[in-house]
């Protein structure tokens, strides 16, 4: 599979993600919303946005690997963050940057959306990550 990331001239720069991904392949991989929980459901990094972003991305990498994919195959990421406000971007990006090398997430990221929500499925969950990948 081949993924080409680009930010065409005339689009917002700098951004922590590419604006466009072009994928060639036939098998779609969708990783559902991953949160900062261990496999036994133990919460990770309660109250710490950066820590939860990092662990949710680790869980996303595990889901991708289970399907034979990596972050290099990802066309799109979607982040849902509770009680979002622009002043949280530093903590959010600190979580991304803390784990990027470990999980093979190149920066800038694939096309991504960050969506602020009132709450997620449990009170202590601050962030949820979804990924879409394409494989040959």
């Amino acid at each position: 599979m081949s993924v080409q990331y680009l930010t065409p001239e005339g689009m917002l720069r700098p951004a922590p993600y590419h604006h466009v991904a072009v994928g060639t392949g036939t098998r779609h991989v969708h990783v559902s919303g991953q949160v900062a929980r261990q496999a036994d459901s133990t919460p990770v990094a309660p109250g710490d946005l950066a820590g939860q972003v990092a662990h949710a991305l680790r869980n996303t990498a595990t889901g991708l690997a289970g399907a034979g994919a990596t972050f290099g195959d990802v066309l799109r990421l979607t982040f849902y963050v509770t009680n979002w406000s622009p002043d949280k971007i530093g903590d959010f990006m600190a979580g991304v940057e803390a784990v990027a090398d470990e999980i093979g997430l190149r920066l800038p990221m694939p096309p991504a959306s960050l969506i602020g929500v009132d709450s997620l499925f449990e009170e202590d969950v601050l962030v949820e990550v979804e990924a879409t990948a394409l494989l040959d």
Side-chain angles (χ1 to χ4, degrees), residues 58-114:
R58 284 185 187 103
N59 287 342
T60 303
T62 299
L64 289 166
T70 69
F71 273 100
D73 302 308
V74 169
L75 292 171
R76 176 162 192 70
L77 291 169
T78 304
F79 297 88
Y80 299 93
V81 181
T82 60
N83 300 310
W84 176 255
S85 61
D87 64 310
K88 295 182 179 182
I89 193 67
D91 289 339
F92 175 84
M93 288 306 300
V96 171
E97 292 165 359
V99 76
D101 287 341
E102 173 189 331
I103 63 174
L105 176 60
R106 291 180 301 231
L107 299 177
M109 292 184 284
S113 293
L114 190 158

Side-chain angles (χ1 to χ4, degrees), residues 10-133:
M11 297 187 93
L12 177 68
R13 292 177 195 226
Y17 55 87
H18 290 281
H19 289 276
V20 179
V22 180
T24 305
T26 56
R27 196 165 63 112
H28 291 244
V29 176
H30 299 269
V31 179
S32 69
Q34 297 301 300
V35 298
R37 292 274 198 272
Q38 295 176 358
D40 68 359
S41 80
T42 302
V44 175
D48 174 10
L49 180 59
Q52 287 201 18
V53 168
H55 198 77
L57 284 167
R58 284 185 187 103
N59 287 342
T60 303
T62 299
L64 289 166
T70 69
F71 273 100
D73 302 308
V74 169
L75 292 171
R76 176 162 192 70
L77 291 169
T78 304
F79 297 88
Y80 299 93
V81 181
T82 60
N83 300 310
W84 176 255
S85 61
D87 64 310
K88 295 182 179 182
I89 193 67
D91 289 339
F92 175 84
M93 288 306 300
V96 171
E97 292 165 359
V99 76
D101 287 341
E102 173 189 331
I103 63 174
L105 176 60
R106 291 180 301 231
L107 299 177
M109 292 184 284
S113 293
L114 190 158
I115 301 167
V117 296
D118 289 334
S119 64
L120 290 164
F121 72 100
E122 289 193 15
E123 192 174 303
D124 66 312
V125 175
L126 303 179
V127 66
E128 183 176 287
V129 181
E130 295 179 354
T132 302

